[in-house]
Every structure is written in C-alpha cells, then in structure tokens.
Amino acid sequence: MTIPRAPRIAIVGNPGNRRVALFQDAVRRKGLPKARVVGWAEVLAGRAEFHAGELVRLDSPGEDPELELALRGVTDSTRVEGTALWYKRFTAAARRVAVQVSVCGAILLDDPCDLEVLFDKRRCHEVLRNAGVAVPFSPTSGVSTPVRGWDHARSLMAEAGLSRVFVKPAHGSSASGVLAVETASGGRVQASTSVQRDALGRLFNSLRVRRYSTESEVAAIVDTLAPDGLHLERWLPKAAQDGRSADFRVVVVDGTATHAVVRTSLSPMTNLHLGGARGDLAAARAAIETAGGSWAEMLALCERAAACFPRFSRVGVDVLPGIGWRRFAIGEVNAFGDLLPGLRGLDGSGAEHGDTYDAQVAAIVRRARNEHHVNA
C-alpha cells in the first residue's frame, strides 16, 4: 500500500486562541507538519492565502479586540450587543474563505452553510426538529417569528403555555446574553442570567450569575437584546447530580461521539466559566442505566444531531437529561464546542487515547488517506 504524503493543514482562526494552540499540539503529536494559522483578521482584510492540496479547518475568531471591532463594532469583548452584525460579517468571511479555498485547489473541512445554521439558534432548532431529533419546544423555531421585545416574548410564552423559558440571543455563544426566565401567577417575573446592565442601559457579560426579580428589569434586558434576534425555548427540568443541575457536552468528530463531560451547576446555566463544574461521568452513566435509560442511545442521539450538519468536521452537542435520567433532548449544537482540554476519549469510540483535538487530527488523516486511494 502506498502511504500518501502527510497532509498539510491550515487553521483559519485567531493565532492567540487556545483552541488553535491545542489543535496544533495534536498535529505535532501525530507527527505531521505544523498546522499553519491563517488569521480571521487576514481574511477580513483580503490578505488570506491558501495552497493547493492544503486541508483548511475553520475555527473560532475568539475575543481578540481587533476582531471584536471588525466583526461586532465594539472593542470590549464583555459587551453583549452586536451579535447580529457579528453573524453577518463572520458568515460572509467564512464564505469568502470557501471561495478562495476552491479557487486554489485546497480542501475545506468545514462548510460555511452549515456554519451559518449552527450560529443561528432558530435555524439550528428547526433543522434538528425537522430531522426528528428531540429538542425543547420553541415558538421561535426557524426564522419566521422575530421577537420584537419583552411584550412580544411574553405573548409568545402565553400562547404556548410556557411559564419557564430560556431567552437566548440567536447568534450568541458561551451563554452570553442568555436569560432563564420564570413567570408566575399575579404577573411575577424573575430571571437568572450572567448579564449585567449598567446605568446607561448597556449590557455586559459577567462571570457571576445574578437574579433579576422584577419584570421591568427583565424587560429592559430583553428589549435591548431583541434587535439582534432572539430564540425562546421551553426550560426543561433537568436531572441532578449531588444536588446540582446536570447536563452533558458531547463532542462528535466525523460522525462519531468521541468525548463527553458532565457539567453541573447550582444555577440554570452549567457553563464552566459561570461557576459550573465537571461532574462524575461514570456516575451519570450508571444513573442512566439504573433508571432504565440507555447511554448508547444518548450518544446515538448526539450523532443524529451532528448528522444534520455533515459538512462540518466536529460539533459540540449539549444534551439535556430529564429528571430521572431516562429521557434526553438536544439543547444546542455548537460549531466550536470542542474545548475540553485534557479529556480522554470514550471507551469504544476509537479516540480513547487522546483529547478532542487528537480525534480531529486522526479523522483528518483518515480522510486524506481515503481521498488518496480514491484518486490513485
């Protein structure tokens, strides 16, 4: 058998992004030529170049101040507003990369059309729902019902009989701008969120989840976020581990669930940067099996969700286990949800001896070899 030349890889990302560094480390461990980094700033400035035969992988632009200004119109990465502009400019840049890659004869590993859907929670929800993937009910699934503000959101909730919802920026990530909203009889409204509103009405991300206990406070935040686009979905009660709300992040690489982590929190948001903590995966798996659920079926659900985006090389799937650990729904599918440093692969996944980036590099090498044999 002829061994093909080691593939050369270019990463479109932020040179200072930790994801990029971890991926480069995995490339080095595989014994491949060092992955080249093409900055998103270069793409936006029209200076990006790609080479024939090169494998090109899209990565997150991160929170670089220069990129924040170019994509979102702000220099402070803690600001919440501007996600609609970010989405428009970022997806346009990804499409430009696709054209350049095609023209020069390189190979793009991540399709910009899938990226556009993954970064619009409304469209992503609709794709998953239409594919029969279990997702929380949403009155904003698709893009036909733009939320005009809090009064409109409240009416959508009432029409659907929803008293507890997550209100999410349509193009947000890392729980930025997300509110867990609860309503009760008598008009009582409260919300948990990492959003902090200053005296001028500007919204900032905080590392502390806080509670707003009046409707006027919640309305002010939602009204500010609405012009960027909002997604509403039913707040499903989740299973608990050691008294903390629990969910899963499962990374699917090239169609296979390779890595998983339990995330637990005392707040509705389990993101690790908001005070969430890694839970006990073995204990969660045992709880599922003891309750009569199926760990294998849960992973299969993640793979079905990822299969809705077959032209993206890897995704991070957020899984919501219902109370009792027997039923599951997909909360989100994340284009760049692979940042789980030091986490080893799942038994039986073929990725047992490496992290999420080792699994991705192995998949890229397999693809390069397969294409070599097809073209030989």
Side-chain angles (χ1 to χ4, degrees), residues 295-317:
W295 172 255
E297 288 181 10
M298 190 272 281
L299 294 181
L301 177 64
C302 296
E303 292 172 352
R304 285 174 54 208
C308 293
F309 309 97
R311 296 168 297 181
F312 214 82
S313 62
R314 78 288 183 199
V315 292
V317 183

Side-chain angles (χ1 to χ4, degrees), residues 270-336:
T270 57
N271 303 72
L272 301 183
H273 71 286
L274 295 178
R278 287 193 185 185
D280 187 328
L281 186 65
R285 180 171 181 173
I288 291 170
E289 301 292 349
T290 299
S294 170
W295 172 255
E297 288 181 10
M298 190 272 281
L299 294 181
L301 177 64
C302 296
E303 292 172 352
R304 285 174 54 208
C308 293
F309 309 97
R311 296 168 297 181
F312 214 82
S313 62
R314 78 288 183 199
V315 292
V317 183
D318 291 346
V319 188
L320 313 176
I323 292 175
W325 294 101
R326 295 185 60 186
R327 293 181 175 83
F328 306 90
I330 301 302
E332 294 188 8
V333 181
N334 305 275
F336 306 128

Side-chain angles (χ1 to χ4, degrees), residues 35 37 63 67 81 84 90 93 136 139 145 158 173 186 197 200 217 219 226 281 283 316 342 368 373:
V37 181
E63 297 180 347
L67 290 175
E81 303 95 325
F90 179 55
T145 313
S173 62
R197 186 170 180 265
L200 299 177
E217 291 175 310
L281 186 65
H373 290 309

Side-chain angles (χ1 to χ4, degrees), residues 209-276:
V209 176
R210 67 196 67 226
R211 184 181 293 273
Y212 293 96
S213 56
T214 69
E215 183 168 8
S216 62
E217 291 175 310
V218 175
I221 296 172
V222 173
D223 287 344
T224 302
L225 292 172
D228 281 320
L230 292 174
H231 175 62
L232 276 60
E233 66 183 31
R234 185 191 302 275
W235 176 353
L236 296 178
K238 293 191 295 188
Q241 186 176 90
D242 297 328
R244 297 164 62 92
S245 180
D247 60 21
F248 297 96
R249 167 64 60 85
V250 178
V251 175
V252 180
V253 177
D254 199 24
T256 300
T258 60
H259 297 74
V261 65
V262 180
R263 305 180 303 181
T264 70
S265 177
L266 295 174
S267 84
M269 276 74 79
T270 57
N271 303 72
L272 301 183
H273 71 286
L274 295 178

Side-chain angles (χ1 to χ4, degrees), residues 7 65 74 87 101 112 118 143 179 185 214 233 246 249 262 270 333 342 358:
V74 300
Y87 176 78
V101 164
L118 287 165
V143 294
L179 295 93
S185 58
T214 69
E233 66 183 31
R249 167 64 60 85
V262 180
T270 57
V333 181
D358 289 311

Side-chain angles (χ1 to χ4, degrees), residues 26-51:
V27 169
R28 186 182 66 251
R29 287 193 294 270
K30 192 69 174 178
L32 300 178
K34 183 177 180 179
R36 186 170 69 92
V37 181
V38 180
W40 281 109
E42 296 175 60
V43 174
L44 292 169
R47 299 192 304 268
E49 293 183 356
F50 302 96
H51 307 143

